[in-house]
């Protein structure tokens, strides 16, 4: 039975109307962008259901209705049925792998007559609910390896099913949950490891074919191995508090590498990578010795980090050159600046940059864009819709849209922090992480700063699945937040 004190307010009064206002503003600006991106010279009715701008009104209207229904449900529904919702979406994701409809090389769409749905968009909120349910359960400890692996497993499972649908971009979105894990107590070393792996890949692949100081040594591989040694020494300093040991590792690693490089440059040319691998192996042996001598297991974990780093880099290099499909390899090479390919893999990004650059400071005005109206930019009303904002609204409009997203994210962080229960806070930070990932990657790929992985810009990209998915994700959080002033008896 529910009872309210004098201070307690109804659900509608407890709603965060600022967030709802931002949501409606994004929907409005999103429709204007879809209208501009899909408009063709000579169209007389942009509201027709035969046009994308007309259909987007339908998706917006149904999204608002879905949001209202979510707000009317009891907030305990989402906690109670979190695992059931998650299981149902997993089953749907698994079934989608075997569906006969293939769209643009992907099997991620369910075709139901005239309606097409992408279950991966709805699995985000289901996964967020399941993870929040698990991590808020009694006795869960983010510092416990088994507990944390169970939470990670809930995230990885839908990722595997989505990859099975040949939709790698949507699967990568689930990596955003690791930002929430870090907020909830996941060791910072795990987040650092992920950042380090990214650095290894970018630096190693980008400069792999570049000779180091006119020697047979690869600059990329040399820098990666040196970074592994320096990062390991830094972890000894931070986690073991043994600065002398850390300085000793740095001195030997840098000194021997520099000496070998000088010999290779001025006396006899040879590849010094075997020497660096030898330094890394000696460092690992030293860490094992220190662990046995001091009985500090942290040294073993640092050694595991070093081994994993080297194994990751060489396996990533092998995957890129021998396992990935040619078009995937070309996309990565274009992103890293190894290939130009303006007519192939780099065409979308190049045309998008032209469209954004042509908008100038104030833009060309609504429906006056030339790059978008002449359809130079592929997927300009879905994945690349931000280029329409840049062309028609200019730098000021683009900055305004990004500022609106920033306000939304900061507001969601504020709401997450005021949650009285862990379930609401964990779900809230999952929502924040997903929105942050989508905005950062989508805008980044339009500007040529991140890989083109084909994910939508929240509330802007055309389509019902993404709009419904983001609406459900957001409004469940708003409904959970509305109970903060409620007491149940």
């Amino acid at each position: 039975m529910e009872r309210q004190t004098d201070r307690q307010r109804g659900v509608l009064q407890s709603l965060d109307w600022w967030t709802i206002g931002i949501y409606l503003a994004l929907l409005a600006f999103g429709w204007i962008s879809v209208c501009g991106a899909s408009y063709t010279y000579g169209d007389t009715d942009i509201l027709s259901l035969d046009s994308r701008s007309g259909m987007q009104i339908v998706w917006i209207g149904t999204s608002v209705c879905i949001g209202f229904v979510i707000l009317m449900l009891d907030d305990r529904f989402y906690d109670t049925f979190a695992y059931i919702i998650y299981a149902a979406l997993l089953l749907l994701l698994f079934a989608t792998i075997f569906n006969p409809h293939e769209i643009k090389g992907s099997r991620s769409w369910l075709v139901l007559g005239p309606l097409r749905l992408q279950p991966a968009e709805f699995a985000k909120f289901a996964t967020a609910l399941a993870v929040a349910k698990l991590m808020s359960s009694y006795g869960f400890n983010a510092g416990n390896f088994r507990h944390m692996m169970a939470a990670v497993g809930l995230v990885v499972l839908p990722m595997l099913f989505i990859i099975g649908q040949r939709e790698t971009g949507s699967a990568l979105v689930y990596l955003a949950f690791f930002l929430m894990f870090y907020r909830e107590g996941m060791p910072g070393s795990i987040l650092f490891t992920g950042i380090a792996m990214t650095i290894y890949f970018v630096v190693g692949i980008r400069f792999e074919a570049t000779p180091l100081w006119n020697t047979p040594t690869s600059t990329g591989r040399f820098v990666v191995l040196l970074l592994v040694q320096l990062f390991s020494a830094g972890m000894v300093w931070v986690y073991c508090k043994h600065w002398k040991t850390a300085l000793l590792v740095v001195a030997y690693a840098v000194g021997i590498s520099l000496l070998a490089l000088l010999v290779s440059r001025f006396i006899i040319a040879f590849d010094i990578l075997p020497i660096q691998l030898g330094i890394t192996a000696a460092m690992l042996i030293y860490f094992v010795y220190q662990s046995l001598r001091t009985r500090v297991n942290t040294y073993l974990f640092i050694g595991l980090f070093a081994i994993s780093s080297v194994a990751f880099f060489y396996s990533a290099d092998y995957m890129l050159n021998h396992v990935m499909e040619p078009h995937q390899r070309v996309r990565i090479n274009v992103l890293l600046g190894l290939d130009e390919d303006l007519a192939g893999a780099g065409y979308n990004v190049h045309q998008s940059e032209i469209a954004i650059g042509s908008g100038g400071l104030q833009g060309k005005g609504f429906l006056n864009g030339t790059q978008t109206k002449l359809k130079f930019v592929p997927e300009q009303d879905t994945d690349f819709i931000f280029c329409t904002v840049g062309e028609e609204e200019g730098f000021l409009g683009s900055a305004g849209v990004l500022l609106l997203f920033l306000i939304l994210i900061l507001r969601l962080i504020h709401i997450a922090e005021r949650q009285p229960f862990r379930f609401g806070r964990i779900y809230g930070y999952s929502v924040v992480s997903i929105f942050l990932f989508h905005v950062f990657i989508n805008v980044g790929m339009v500007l040529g700063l991140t890989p083109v992985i084909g994910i939508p810009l929240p509330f802007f990209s055309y389509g019902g699945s993404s709009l419904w998915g983001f609406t459900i994700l957001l409004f469940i959080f708003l409904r959970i937040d509305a109970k903060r002033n409620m007491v149940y008896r």
Side-chain angles (χ1 to χ4, degrees):
M1 178 178 177
E2 182 180 305
R3 186 176 67 189
Q4 290 187 308
T5 66
D6 293 338
R7 288 187 174 183
Q8 294 167 341
R9 300 170 294 176
V11 172
L12 294 179
Q13 291 178 305
S14 299
L15 282 175
D16 191 86
W17 289 100
W18 284 104
T19 303
I20 293 178
I22 297 171
Y23 164 77
L24 294 176
L26 288 171
L27 288 182
F29 289 133
W31 179 81
I32 291 173
S33 300
V34 169
C35 188
S38 59
Y39 177 78
T40 303
Y41 288 123
D43 284 350
T44 57
D45 190 0
I46 60 176
L47 301 180
S48 170
L49 294 183
D50 293 328
S51 66
R52 292 221 168 192
S53 55
M55 280 303 301
Q56 189 70 359
I57 293 179
V58 175
W59 304 135
I60 291 174
T62 52
S63 295
V64 173
C65 292
I66 290 173
F68 179 78
V69 171
I70 290 172
L71 295 179
M72 293 301 101
L73 292 175
D74 192 316
D75 59 272
R76 290 171 290 186
F77 172 86
Y78 307 109
D79 188 344
T80 304
F81 295 99
Y83 289 144
I84 296 177
I85 295 172
Y86 176 75
L89 263 296
L90 276 186
L91 184 62
L92 193 59
L93 286 176
F94 182 73
T96 307
I97 298 176
F98 305 100
N99 89 87
H101 303 284
E102 186 172 307
I103 301 175
K104 296 181 181 179
S106 170
R107 293 180 179 271
S108 60
W109 295 87
L110 288 179
V111 180
L112 307 172
L115 184 65
R116 297 190 305 181
L117 293 177
Q118 193 173 20
E121 295 295 334
F122 303 99
K124 297 170 190 174
F125 83 83
T127 304
L129 285 174
V131 171
K133 175 79 170 179
L134 174 66
M135 295 184 68
S136 62
S137 60
Y138 179 77
F140 184 91
N141 181 8
N144 184 295
F145 180 78
R146 289 185 179 180
H147 292 179
M148 203 63 220
M149 286 301 100
V152 171
L154 290 177
V155 174
V156 170
L157 198 54
M159 286 183 66
L160 295 177
F161 288 163
I162 294 171
I163 291 174
Q165 299 169 5
R166 303 175 191 170
E167 193 65 35
T168 308
S170 297
L172 292 176
V173 173
Y174 288 76
L175 295 177
F177 281 95
F178 283 86
L179 296 176
M180 180 274 294
F181 289 152
Y182 178 69
R183 165 61 182 83
E184 292 301 317
M186 182 184 73
S189 57
I190 297 178
L191 186 63
F192 172 76
T193 299
I195 296 173
M197 299 299 178
T198 304
I199 295 174
Y200 299 152
F201 181 81
V202 173
V203 174
I205 301 301
R206 175 65 180 84
F207 299 101
E208 182 179 19
T210 304
L212 177 65
W213 204 11
N214 293 325
T215 67
T217 305
S218 164
T219 299
R221 298 193 178 197
F222 173 86
V223 172
V224 166
L225 290 175
L226 186 61
L227 285 176
V228 170
Q229 297 155 11
L230 296 179
F231 285 164
S232 299
M235 294 177 75
V236 170
W237 192 325
V238 173
Y239 295 107
C240 299
K241 309 300 180 183
H242 293 165
W243 62 271
K244 291 184 178 179
T245 301
L247 291 179
L248 184 65
V249 171
V250 171
Y252 274 104
V254 175
I256 295 175
S257 297
L258 181 59
L259 179 62
L261 181 60
L262 291 173
V263 171
S264 178
R265 177 67 176 85
F266 296 106
I267 300 178
I268 179 172
F270 69 99
D271 189 349
I272 68 174
L273 290 180
I275 293 179
Q276 278 197 300
L277 289 172
I279 295 172
T280 305
M283 181 181 68
L284 295 177
I285 294 173
Y286 180 70
F287 286 160
V288 173
Y289 166 74
Q290 284 291 93
S291 178
L292 295 175
R293 186 178 69 85
T294 62
R295 295 184 180 180
V296 177
N297 291 332
T298 307
Y299 279 107
L300 292 179
F301 287 107
I302 296 174
L304 179 62
F305 164 81
I307 294 175
S308 301
S309 296
V310 175
F312 168 81
F313 172 68
Y314 279 96
S315 63
D317 182 67
Y318 178 82
M319 289 282 292
L320 177 65
N321 294 301
H322 299 92
V323 176
M324 284 188 175
E325 297 293 332
H327 71 277
Q328 296 173 324
R329 188 160 56 248
V330 169
R331 281 186 177 182
I332 293 177
N333 288 339
V334 169
L335 176 68
L336 296 178
L338 298 175
D339 294 331
E340 190 75 10
D341 194 22
L342 298 181
Y347 178 80
N348 288 24
V349 175
H350 182 62
Q351 293 297 327
S352 175
E353 291 171 342
I354 292 175
I356 292 175
S358 67
L361 180 64
Q362 297 180 339
K364 298 176 180 178
F366 181 55
L367 301 183
N368 290 325
T370 53
Q371 294 294 117
T372 50
K373 299 304 163 292
L374 297 175
K375 312 301 180 186
F376 282 110
V377 185
E379 311 297 337
Q380 62 188 23
D381 56 359
T382 52
D383 300 340
F384 281 81
I385 194 168
F386 191 71
C387 74
T388 303
V389 178
E391 184 178 30
E392 295 192 348
E393 309 303 328
F395 173 80
L396 295 179
S398 300
V401 168
L402 293 180
L403 180 61
L404 202 56
F405 274 116
L406 176 61
I407 294 173
L408 174 65
I409 291 171
L410 292 178
R411 187 67 189 174
L412 292 177
I413 292 174
H414 169 72
I415 297 174
E417 284 294 332
R418 74 185 183 192
Q419 296 305 302
F421 302 106
R422 289 190 67 195
F423 178 83
R425 187 182 72 239
I426 293 169
Y427 181 83
Y429 271 102
S430 298
V431 175
V432 171
S433 300
I434 291 171
F435 275 118
L436 185 62
F437 187 94
H438 267 274
V439 174
F440 179 79
I441 296 298
N442 182 276
V443 175
M445 72 183 192
V446 170
L447 298 176
L449 301 177
T450 57
V452 179
I453 61 175
I455 61 174
L457 184 63
F459 311 123
F460 272 70
S461 296
Y462 171 81
S465 292
S466 65
L467 191 52
W468 289 353
F470 287 124
T471 297
I472 295 172
L473 184 72
L474 177 63
F475 273 76
I476 287 178
F477 183 39
L478 292 178
R479 182 61 186 90
I480 292 172
D481 174 65
K483 77 172 184 180
R484 68 188 183 279
N485 296 312
M486 310 286 285
V487 174
Y488 299 106
R489 302 296 186 201

